[in-house]
Amino acid sequence: LSAEHGLGVRAGKFCAHLLVPALLEEATHAHPPAVRVSAGLAVDGNYSGDWHQGSLTSTSWGDQQWWQVDLGAARTLKQIDLYNRIDCCVDALSNFDVYTSLDGVTWTLRNHFPGQAGSPTVLSLGSISGRYVRIQLAAYATAIMLAEVDVWGY
């Protein structure tokens, strides 16, 4: 399952949900969930963490599930803000890793978050180059759920 979403530009910085639809790139899941929810819901600009408001994305349950976004070109990445589900199941975004890639094939671990994410959870990346950003659960037999992901840089 994939959806067309990507990055936007604002005051010399970009954020993963700000571009007009015609210019957006792709957000994808490791495995599509049984309930049809778009991976792009995590970059739609809607920060609601309530499942019933229709703006959460989720993978299927499985081993080391992931969500990723293609920013369309290599960028200097500074920070990622993750917004968790808040109506229930907040532990679904726990014990996860953040990876980046220039080519979508070779991945570099940038951050390990051992606890339960908040809404938001702010992760500093320093100043690194990347085109793809992946959030991947370190745990087995679970799903990843995200309300929103903002990737900041220039």
Side-chain angles (χ1 to χ4, degrees):
L1 178 66
S2 65
E4 292 187 353
H5 291 275
L7 65 107
V9 177
R10 177 175 64 193
K13 297 181 179 181
F14 69 85
C15 180
H17 69 265
L18 299 176
L19 265 192
V20 295
L23 301 176
L24 297 178
E25 294 302 322
E26 188 172 20
T28 55
H29 289 123
H31 297 93
V35 177
R36 287 192 52 84
V37 291
S38 170
L41 289 173
V43 289
D44 66 355
N46 185 336
Y47 293 86
S48 174
D50 184 334
W51 181 268
H52 303 289
Q53 292 188 7
S55 185
L56 286 171
T57 189
S58 176
T59 63
S60 295
W61 286 74
D63 294 344
Q64 296 181 305
Q65 294 293 289
W66 55 261
W67 173 94
Q68 73 183 34
V69 65
D70 176 354
L71 301 172
R75 305 283 179 156
T76 299
L77 310 177
K78 305 288 281 176
Q79 174 179 307
I80 298 174
D81 301 343
L82 300 174
Y83 292 81
N84 198 2
R85 183 174 182 175
I86 60 171
D87 61 330
C88 85
C89 316
V90 294
D91 59 339
L93 188 53
S94 299
N95 190 24
F96 60 88
D97 297 318
V98 177
Y99 294 89
T100 62
S101 174
L102 288 169
D103 60 9
V105 176
T106 303
W107 295 88
T108 302
L109 176 65
R110 299 299 183 176
N111 198 312
H112 173 72
F113 192 88
Q116 178 180 303
S119 195
T121 295
V122 177
L123 304 171
S124 176
L125 298 175
S127 185
I128 60 158
S129 183
R131 174 177 172 166
Y132 301 87
V133 175
R134 177 181 284 185
I135 312 301
Q136 182 171 338
L137 296 178
Y140 294 92
T142 189
I144 188 168
M145 295 181 200
L146 294 162
E148 195 71 14
V149 179
D150 287 339
V151 180
W152 297 97
Y154 55 89

